[in-house]
Amino acid sequence: MSEISLKHTINRINSNEIDPVYSLFGNEAFLQRFFIDYISSKFLTENQSITYINLDDDKESLLLSELSSYSLFADKKIIVVRRIRKLSKNGKKELFDYIKSPNNSYCLILISETYDFKSTLQKDLEKKTLSIDVRVPFENKIKEWVIYYIKTKKY
């Protein structure tokens, strides 16, 4: 797919264009949280959940079992995976197999704290998922971002 701005992605979500997999690259925790909160408000209903997996602490088998599980009741779920670069070679293969044919009841959000345009994993994820840059905005974009954020919060 490609990398698009967070603002453009939010506009797509508002038009009910929710992708099954997103890749977030960058270490701005506020932007990551903003995106996760926003998509959960549009994708999930009451009693539906967000599963958080951090590959620093959790085993990749937890991620792979979450991706392979299916609900009989088609409950929607968001799966947020931090430290995606920690996946083993086999884990990456299984992840890309999932990305080829994702479960439409799930929204998978993959987060890499580093933005490295030379990274093979990042390049592959940018080709196959909707990628969003969540680095600290450039100084000349801060004002635009603040105005946009205020509008979304209806202040």
Side-chain angles (χ1 to χ4, degrees):
M1 296 187 98
S2 65
E3 182 180 300
I4 63 173
S5 71
L6 182 58
K7 181 179 174 182
H8 183 74
T9 304
I10 297 297
N11 291 338
R12 285 182 51 151
I13 292 168
N14 285 336
S15 300
N16 290 323
E17 294 179 51
I18 298 176
D19 287 78
V21 184
Y22 293 92
S23 298
L24 279 58
F25 295 102
N27 62 352
E28 179 52 53
F30 176 81
L31 295 177
Q32 294 171 5
R33 180 86 250 150
F34 176 79
F35 179 74
I36 293 166
D37 290 346
Y38 199 85
I39 201 161
S40 66
S41 73
K42 301 293 183 178
F43 186 71
L44 299 177
T45 59
E46 275 187 51
N47 302 322
Q48 293 177 332
S49 63
I50 300 177
T51 300
Y52 291 93
I53 299 171
N54 184 328
L55 294 176
D56 271 347
D57 303 322
D58 301 314
K59 295 183 181 197
E60 72 179 39
S61 59
L62 175 62
L63 167 62
L64 301 175
S65 68
E66 283 289 330
L67 295 178
S68 63
S69 68
Y70 286 90
S71 169
L72 295 174
F73 305 105
D75 289 335
K76 291 186 176 183
K77 181 193 289 190
I78 293 176
I79 303 169
V80 178
V81 185
R82 294 188 178 280
R83 308 279 189 223
I84 195 67
R85 292 182 192 271
K86 299 267 182 162
L87 276 176
S88 68
K89 186 176 181 179
N90 186 50
K92 289 175 187 172
K93 180 192 176 311
E94 290 191 45
L95 174 65
F96 282 104
D97 287 346
Y98 173 82
I99 290 171
K100 287 178 191 170
S101 181
N103 179 341
N104 289 325
S105 294
Y106 294 173
C107 181
L108 178 62
I109 301 173
L110 305 168
I111 300 175
S112 174
E113 302 293 331
T114 57
Y115 187 98
D116 179 8
F117 60 91
K118 294 180 182 178
S119 162
T120 303
L121 177 62
Q122 184 169 329
K123 287 178 187 176
D124 291 344
L125 286 171
E126 286 177 346
K127 289 177 190 170
K128 303 198 183 307
T129 69
L130 192 66
S131 299
I132 304 165
D133 182 352
V134 289
R135 294 177 290 176
V136 176
F138 293 112
E139 195 171 316
N140 63 345
K141 296 288 186 180
I142 295 287
K143 182 178 178 181
E144 178 184 328
W145 169 248
V146 170
I147 290 168
Y148 178 74
Y149 179 75
I150 289 170
K151 284 181 182 177
T152 63
K153 293 296 183 181
K154 299 180 178 153
Y155 292 134

